[in-house]
Amino acid sequence: MASIPAPLPPSTANWHWKNKTVTPWAKQWFERELSEVRVTGEGTEAVAVERVVEVDGDVELGQRKSKLITIYDCRVVLNWTGTASDGTAVSGKLTIPEVSHEITLDGTSDYVYEWSLSTDRSPAVDALFQLAKKHLPPALEAKFSSFPAAIVDTHGKDLTVSTDPSRQGTPAPTASAAKSTTVQNDAALKKKAEGAGAAKSGGQAVNTTSLTVEAQFMAPADDLFSLLTDEKRIPQWTRAPATSKPEQGAEYSLFGGGVKGKFVSVSPPKEFVQTWALASPTWPEGHSATLTTTLDQGSDSTKVTWSLNGVPLGSEEEITRNLQGYYVHGLKSIGLGTVL
């Protein structure tokens, strides 16, 4: 029977790539908080959010190198109502196509508001409509600005180990959920290793396996190839420094040194192969996997496939979520119309 390993110290445990999906909680937060928004004008004029009718998108809290980061991109649709100066009841719909970390915290662009009016127009109704357009957005944006802190305050304790969260700056997007530690007996380990390979790390054999992650992107293959290999463009989706020269034998570093390796082969715009090593206490020292990235362009989208060979047994779930969080959601965060 294998012995239970000693718990990792907080400084080490909090280094791991982790994430937590909080989308259901986020929808409830938007429904509750935005429904409290109300603005008034002169006299009896008033406008309020009646209810949130749709929140579509993904919301996650991630941790990388002891920092908590918010990763979200949502489309919010709400109904608004108001009372005009002549007493007319007015109603309409408001769509905010993007409520995201990039807009709220990074200020990469402005919020977009798409308005509709359901009530028959009149001078009083039009005046209230203008009041809504002028004063509802600032009130909504005040709520949006409190959303990242609410995520961290509510869910940060689930990712950190005896440490205070950091909300400053913008680390690499989406962190990944680390696989919980389990104690397996020798028979279970043997069964899990069937069909898996073995590599050597520091003179010791490392039992390994392979995994694949793929996603469709609304972008041409040559543009995606450049985004994935050009060090000047990589920070657009990783939000972190990168070193990368797509040439055979050239070294690369992504996510501020979180992933490192060398280019094995480069065949633009269809494929490139790299050695791949994770800077984490859970990754065997001196061990490298092989990551093959293929791009298959179709008529209206490009399928990108990441095939990682040499993944240490027991870390498959963690590494899969790392690839999904850092690569797939990273590219999604810059508006490539990812289909997951």
Side-chain angles (χ1 to χ4, degrees):
M1 180 70 70
S3 61
I4 299 175
L8 293 172
S11 59
T12 300
N14 289 335
W15 183 272
H16 293 184
W17 291 11
K18 307 175 186 177
N19 83 332
K20 179 184 180 183
T21 299
V22 297
T23 304
W25 170 89
K27 291 181 178 180
Q28 294 177 355
W29 187 92
F30 280 117
E31 290 169 357
R32 180 183 67 253
E33 295 295 325
L34 299 190
S35 296
E36 297 177 354
V37 172
R38 175 183 172 85
V39 296
T40 58
E42 297 181 0
T44 59
E45 289 183 322
V47 177
V49 174
E50 180 185 32
R51 67 186 182 96
V52 176
V53 297
E54 180 182 347
V55 178
D56 183 27
D58 300 313
V59 182
E60 296 180 353
L61 179 64
Q63 177 182 275
R64 178 174 178 269
K65 296 183 179 180
S66 297
K67 286 188 176 182
L68 292 175
I69 55 175
T70 54
I71 309 133
Y72 60 95
D73 187 349
C74 298
R75 175 177 179 267
V76 178
V77 182
L78 54 87
N79 291 338
W80 62 271
T81 59
T83 303
S85 59
D86 63 355
T88 301
V90 183
S91 63
K93 179 175 288 187
L94 173 59
T95 299
I96 305 101
E98 181 181 352
V99 178
S100 67
H101 176 111
E102 287 71 29
I103 294 179
T104 304
L105 294 179
D106 298 340
T108 55
S109 60
D110 295 328
Y111 288 100
V112 173
Y113 296 93
E114 299 173 354
W115 297 86
S116 67
L117 179 65
S118 303
T119 306
D120 291 339
R121 305 188 79 117
S122 70
V125 170
D126 287 346
L128 187 77
F129 195 19
Q130 292 304 313
L131 173 70
K133 288 183 175 181
K134 181 177 181 180
H135 294 293
L136 267 187
L140 290 170
E141 290 173 23
K143 289 290 188 180
F144 296 154
S145 67
S146 67
F147 182 52
I151 299 175
V152 172
D153 290 342
T154 304
H155 302 283
K157 61 183 180 296
D158 297 331
L159 296 183
T160 57
V161 179
S162 300
T163 187
D164 292 328
S166 169
R167 301 187 196 130
Q168 297 183 3
T170 306
T174 185
S176 304
K179 187 177 182 180
S180 59
T181 303
T182 59
V183 180
Q184 300 170 300
N185 58 32
D186 293 340
L189 287 172
K190 183 177 179 181
K191 181 178 180 181
K192 189 172 184 180
E194 289 180 356
K200 285 191 174 182
S201 172
Q204 296 182 350
V206 178
N207 289 323
T208 65
T209 186
S210 301
L211 57 85
T212 298
V213 170
E214 59 183 36
Q216 297 279 350
F217 298 93
M218 304 299 288
D222 56 353
D223 189 42
L224 283 167
F225 192 96
S226 174
L227 278 167
L228 290 166
T229 61
D230 185 345
E231 63 182 23
K232 294 181 180 179
R233 302 189 68 191
I234 289 172
Q236 294 178 25
W237 56 274
T238 65
R239 311 292 183 191
T243 301
S244 177
K245 190 174 184 179
E247 296 179 355
Q248 184 177 356
E251 295 183 351
Y252 74 91
S253 173
L254 304 180
F255 311 111
V259 171
K260 293 183 178 180
K262 292 184 178 181
F263 282 93
V264 177
S265 64
V266 182
S267 304
K270 295 185 177 181
E271 181 184 275
F272 58 95
V273 181
Q274 303 163 297
T275 61
W276 195 92
L278 182 64
S280 168
T282 60
W283 188 265
E285 184 179 357
H287 176 66
S288 290
T290 300
L291 178 65
T292 301
T293 305
T294 59
L295 300 91
D296 183 12
Q297 182 169 326
S299 58
D300 58 358
S301 65
T302 298
K303 182 173 77 170
V304 180
T305 303
W306 290 272
S307 300
L308 190 60
N309 183 36
V311 178
L313 281 175
S315 64
E316 301 95 317
E317 183 178 344
E318 176 186 359
I319 302 303
T320 297
R321 294 192 181 186
N322 286 342
L323 291 174
Q324 291 172 337
Y326 275 68
Y327 288 80
V328 176
H329 286 285
L331 290 166
K332 176 183 178 181
S333 73
I334 61 173
L336 292 182
T338 315
V339 180
L340 296 174

